[in-house]
Each structure stands twice: as C-alpha cells, then as structure tokens.
Amino acid sequence: YQWIFENGTPSFSTLQNPNVVYDTTGNFEVTLITGNQMGYDTLTRQHYVTVNPIPQLHLNADTLGICVGDTAVINATGAAAYYWQPGNNVLSAVYGALKVKPQISSSYSVYGTTNGCNSPIATIYVNKTKPSNDFLVILFFFKSEPGL
C-alpha cells in the first residue's frame, strides 16, 4: 500500500489503514497505489476527504447587569445546534437562547455543533458584585477540546 494524502499529516503512508490528520478545512484528494506480482494499480479520488471548520461560538446577554429575581437571556451564535450545560435557575433553553433567573452567582456553558464538528465550550458567568444584590454579567470564553 502506498497512500498519498493531499494536505494530510502524514502526506504519505505505507500502512494498510493509516490515521491522517488535517489542519486546514477544504476538500482533499486521496491516492492509493497497490501492487502484487501481476503489477500495480493506482486509484485517485478527487474531493474524497472533506474537512469542515470548527464552529466559532459567540455569546452575549441581553443586559449587562441584573438584580436578584430579574431574568437575562444569554444568546449563542455561530453553530447549527447548541448544547447548554446550565447552572442555576434556568427558565428555558431553546436553540441558541438560554433564559435564566439566577438567585446566586452562576455560570452557564454551551458548545455548538455544525457538520459533526464541535466547538470549544464557551462559558458566561453571572456574578454577585454589590451588596445591593445586583449581578453583573461577565463574558469569558474558555477553550476546551472540541467535542467535550
């Protein structure tokens, strides 16, 4: 077996079933050359491997400050589907929108998927910041391994 992988790592392999990593998105060609005592044969497939981009999530809230008992809507965009890993007092989670009514400091996390690719987890924190029971929504993104 002689494999040739356009833009793959490794780009060449003699293993029967090689593992190949692609670092760029796009459609790539794969060539296989095999042989025996009767001769050699070459098979090339154009656009055989499709590498999709990892979704890039964006989070925002409908307000920057909320008081205890108030609600906030946290929106995620940048993917086809969203998977919330909510903290406290979630009223609803519909598609990319999470409606929350936190009574204490809370965090809400989400990851998105598009074409089978998972984004890193993004987290937004709602922290109690003043004795007057105000909360402040602070946006932080934490990168994790895709697919977690």
Side-chain angles (χ1 to χ4, degrees):
Y1 298 93
Q2 293 181 14
W3 292 96
I4 302 169
F5 301 99
E6 178 187 21
N7 284 25
T9 302
S11 61
F12 178 82
S13 177
T14 57
L15 297 174
Q16 182 176 358
N17 297 302
N19 291 317
V20 180
V21 175
Y22 291 86
D23 292 328
T24 58
T25 61
N27 297 304
F28 303 105
E29 176 181 295
V30 175
T31 299
L32 172 61
I33 304 167
T34 61
N36 59 24
Q37 64 272 19
M38 301 295 289
Y40 288 90
D41 195 12
T42 300
L43 176 65
T44 298
R45 298 283 185 188
Q46 301 286 329
H47 307 289
Y48 192 68
V49 173
T50 299
V51 179
N52 294 307
I54 294 173
Q56 298 299 309
L57 288 189
H58 304 280
L59 291 180
N60 64 54
D62 65 346
T63 182
L64 292 180
I66 60 174
C67 296
V68 172
D70 286 348
T71 61
V73 177
I74 302 166
N75 293 295
T77 59
Y82 301 91
Y83 300 91
W84 290 97
Q85 301 162 347
N88 299 313
N89 301 304
V90 174
L91 300 177
S92 65
V94 179
Y95 191 59
L98 185 72
K99 187 174 185 179
V100 298
K101 187 176 182 177
Q103 300 299 317
I104 61 172
S105 294
S106 303
S107 65
Y108 305 92
S109 298
V110 63
Y111 73 92
T113 64
T114 302
N115 295 321
C117 298
N118 295 339
S119 72
I121 294 174
T123 300
I124 191 168
Y125 288 93
V126 179
N127 292 319
K128 184 174 181 178
T129 59
K130 298 179 187 173
S132 64
N133 292 330
D134 285 344
F135 280 75
L136 176 65
V137 176
I138 303 172
L139 186 62
F140 290 99
F141 290 98
F142 288 92
K143 197 170 189 179
S144 66
E145 290 298 316
L148 296 180

